[in-house]
Amino acid sequence: MELLEQRILKDGRVIGSDILKVDSFLNHQMDVALFNEMGKEFYKLFAHKNITKILTIEASGIGIACIAAQYFNVPVIFAKKTESRNLDSDAYLSEVFSFTKGKTYTIRVSKNYLNSEDTILIIDDFLANGKAALGLAHIVEQSGAKLGGIGIAIEKGFQDGGKLLREKGFDVKSLAIISSMEDGKLSFAE
Ligand code: 5GP
């Protein structure tokens, strides 16, 4: 997606060899007009899958998922990363290793909001090693719902996640795929 690639080039900052910081438009301040275009693009890519719900993970996936959901006209569920007394104790759980935080945490989704009649679109901001998406896919699997696809804003194509998920047969579509970030210089896959 040209608009997103241009924005990454303009405002993204490479940290070390493998982290892209996009706090000015995606991970902290959010550019809603850009999210709107991303939402339209996700709809173009996955409209034919008859999606009934979008599943994402807190925090950064939520904004993107909500804007996309307006095109699909479906609810958004976000997996929670912390235990809370508010959350139904009857929940689907999965373990996720966080690439950015370097630790494993449990994600949870109440059993009330996913069922075997659903076709789920997973949406997330980044795809690195695929752990977040795999955790979400594991939750979808436990619920008996169908996984319609995985929509990612920014995939780092030089990390293993995309390959791993596609090899598992998941329909993964990313709006921008970064092929390399060496020496702070970004390039995109064709
Ligand atoms: P994965 O689970 O695929 O290894 O990593 C994806 C998750 O880690 C995303 O939900 C995202 O929050 C975070 N992440 C991974 N790489 C980056 C990155 O380069 N920049 C930012 N901002 N977040 C990242």
Side-chain angles (χ1 to χ4, degrees):
M1 186 185 169
E2 183 65 26
L3 191 66
L4 179 59
E5 291 184 0
Q6 289 308 323
R7 191 60 181 273
I8 293 168
L9 287 175
K10 182 170 160 275
D11 292 330
R13 275 204 302 126
V14 178
I15 312 285
S17 60
D18 56 6
I19 296 271
L20 176 66
K21 210 167 154 71
V22 287
D23 277 10
S24 68
F25 63 93
L26 198 145
N27 284 136
H28 196 15
Q29 176 169 258
M30 295 182 280
D31 183 335
V32 176
L34 175 66
F35 280 22
N36 228 344
E37 295 309 313
M38 289 160 56
K40 276 185 211 166
E41 201 63 30
F42 282 130
Y43 186 66
K44 268 194 225 157
L45 294 167
F46 293 108
H48 64 288
K49 294 284 179 85
N50 299 319
I51 299 300
T52 62
K53 281 169 193 164
I54 293 178
L55 176 64
T56 187
I57 185 165
E58 64 178 350
S60 297
I62 297 175
I64 303 168
C66 285
I67 301 267
Q70 292 187 301
Y71 293 96
F72 290 88
N73 203 15
V74 298
V76 174
I77 304 157
F78 65 91
K80 301 203 178 199
K81 289 178 175 169
T82 49
E83 215 167 344
S84 132
R85 271 192 287 172
N86 294 336
L87 183 67
D88 211 305
S89 58
D90 210 10
Y92 300 114
L93 307 180
S94 192
E95 298 288 304
V96 171
F97 177 78
S98 166
F99 176 75
T100 44
K101 298 198 172 65
K103 62 173 193 191
T104 299
Y105 55 92
T106 303
I107 58 171
R108 56 201 98 226
V109 171
S110 163
K111 290 187 180 174
N112 289 333
Y113 305 123
L114 287 176
N115 64 66
S116 58
E117 252 104 84
D118 283 318
T119 301
I120 306 298
L121 173 62
I122 289 175
I123 285 190
D124 204 7
D125 59 342
F126 272 89
L127 176 57
N129 294 315
K131 305 295 186 204
L134 277 175
L136 292 172
H138 180 219
I139 281 181
V140 173
E141 188 191 329
Q142 292 173 62
S143 74
K146 192 171 151 201
L147 180 53
I150 301 177
I152 300 288
I154 305 173
E155 173 176 345
K156 292 182 290 178
F158 54 89
Q159 292 179 281
D160 288 341
K163 187 165 175 276
L164 188 89
L165 297 173
R166 291 181 182 100
E167 276 175 5
K168 284 186 175 290
F170 298 136
D171 181 12
V172 183
K173 302 260 166 50
S174 302
L175 304 184
I177 303 183
I178 297 171
S179 53
S180 111
M181 301 202 311
E182 257 155 59
D183 303 321
K185 229 179 114 2
L186 283 167
S187 37
F188 295 99
E190 290 305 307

